[in-house]
Amino acid sequence: MTLQIPDSIAAQAGCSTSELILGMVVGLFYQGRLSLGQAGATLGLSKLDFMEQLSAHDLPMPYSEEDAASDLRAVDRLWKKDAHQVRS
């Protein structure tokens, strides 16, 4: 798909074409329409590079309660695994 956006739109928004594209991708990412990997790939970036772009523009990474609970479960599993290996 080819998307044509008049140069006047970027000029009115006070941004470059690349900033305009980044804004669209970030918007889709925040809406949950693109995953972290998809958003990065759309811009030709890795997940980490996309995360760095968000940080460079002072945009927070979405982090839900579900994300936190999942991370805590993973840490708990790792601690249990590590504790078992230390005892062995």
Side-chain angles (χ1 to χ4, degrees):
M1 166 162 88
T2 301
L3 178 64
Q4 293 183 349
I5 301 171
D7 292 336
S8 61
I9 298 295
Q12 288 172 350
C15 62
S16 67
T17 302
S18 61
E19 289 173 320
L20 189 62
I21 293 168
L22 175 65
M24 288 189 296
V25 171
V26 167
L28 293 169
F29 171 67
Y30 279 140
Q31 291 174 7
R33 295 177 177 214
L34 291 178
S35 69
L36 182 65
Q38 290 169 328
T42 300
L43 299 170
L45 302 172
S46 68
K47 288 180 184 180
L48 181 58
D49 289 338
F50 180 65
M51 291 170 65
E52 288 175 353
Q53 280 293 312
L54 292 176
S55 178
H57 290 86
D58 294 324
L59 300 169
M61 271 295 298
Y63 194 74
S64 67
E65 287 183 40
E66 288 179 26
D67 294 332
S70 176
D71 287 347
L72 289 172
R73 286 190 300 273
V75 167
D76 189 47
R77 282 192 309 271
L78 290 171
W79 274 357
K80 286 179 183 177
K81 181 179 176 183
D82 285 345
H84 178 71
Q85 289 177 350
V86 169
R87 287 187 214 135
S88 300

